[in-house]
Amino acid sequence: MSRVVFSFLALVVFLTTGCDRQMKYTISGTWKGADGQVVRLLEGWGENQDKVIDSVIVKDGRFHLEKPINQVGRGMLEFGTYFRPVLLDGEPVEIEVEGFQGDTTVKNSFVLQGSPEQTVMDKVQGIQMLRVFAMAFGIAVRDPML
């Protein structure tokens, strides 16, 4: 299944990088109760999280990141203790964050909406996380594509 999804994403990258138009990523959202906190966009999905591509301070509960990109890429959004992979494909990304992960004294939620490819990527990541969790408890996991 993951091969199919990654092949699909590779096709999207190939088709969008062949265009002459200048792309940009646009990430906007709200983060309730987080004025003064920093939202960071890190390079990659974990292999180079020390490199900050972009950052912004939350003001009046809102934030906005936007820069030109040469090709479709991936990044990791950091919201305090929240980390979330994001597809930088030229499609706007809208995010709503409430609270802080691990803080049980307030409601915590995180909603990210982007391109259809972002949705597919999120589902694949969720399946992979379930597999890791199941294997940690010795539960056999069968590949649904077999």
Side-chain angles (χ1 to χ4, degrees):
M1 163 113 177
S2 62
R3 285 187 219 136
V4 172
V5 172
F6 289 118
S7 295
F8 174 72
L9 289 174
L11 178 63
V12 169
V13 169
F14 174 75
L15 293 176
T16 56
T17 56
C19 300
D20 288 334
R21 68 181 176 96
Q22 178 68 42
M23 291 189 303
K24 65 180 176 181
Y25 66 79
T26 304
I27 303 169
S28 302
T30 59
W31 188 2
K32 292 181 183 176
D35 284 359
Q37 295 292 319
V38 178
V39 175
R40 291 179 181 85
L41 176 60
L42 308 172
E43 183 178 90
W45 284 347
E47 65 276 357
N48 191 15
Q49 286 191 8
D50 292 335
K51 183 171 181 187
V52 177
I53 298 171
D54 202 353
S55 65
V56 65
I57 296 174
V58 177
K59 184 177 180 185
D60 298 325
R62 305 184 76 53
F63 60 89
H64 181 83
L65 300 164
E66 184 174 319
K67 281 190 180 174
I69 53 176
N70 295 325
Q71 62 185 14
V72 172
R74 58 189 182 176
M76 182 71 72
L77 286 168
E78 177 188 359
F79 298 84
T81 56
Y82 283 112
F83 285 88
R84 184 71 182 266
V86 64
L87 187 61
L88 306 173
D89 59 359
E91 294 295 322
V93 175
E94 290 289 328
I95 300 171
E96 293 178 23
V97 183
E98 188 171 345
F100 297 86
Q101 188 174 14
D103 184 353
T104 58
T105 63
V106 295
K107 178 183 175 188
N108 289 277
S109 65
F110 190 102
V111 178
L112 184 146
Q113 294 180 316
S115 66
E117 293 81 12
Q118 175 75 46
T119 303
V120 170
M121 185 183 73
D122 289 345
K123 287 181 181 179
V124 168
Q125 181 188 6
I127 291 168
Q128 290 172 339
M129 291 301 291
L130 286 174
R131 286 182 173 189
V132 168
F133 182 75
M135 290 184 342
F137 286 94
I139 301 170
V141 179
R142 186 177 74 80
D143 189 339
M145 298 302 288
L146 297 177

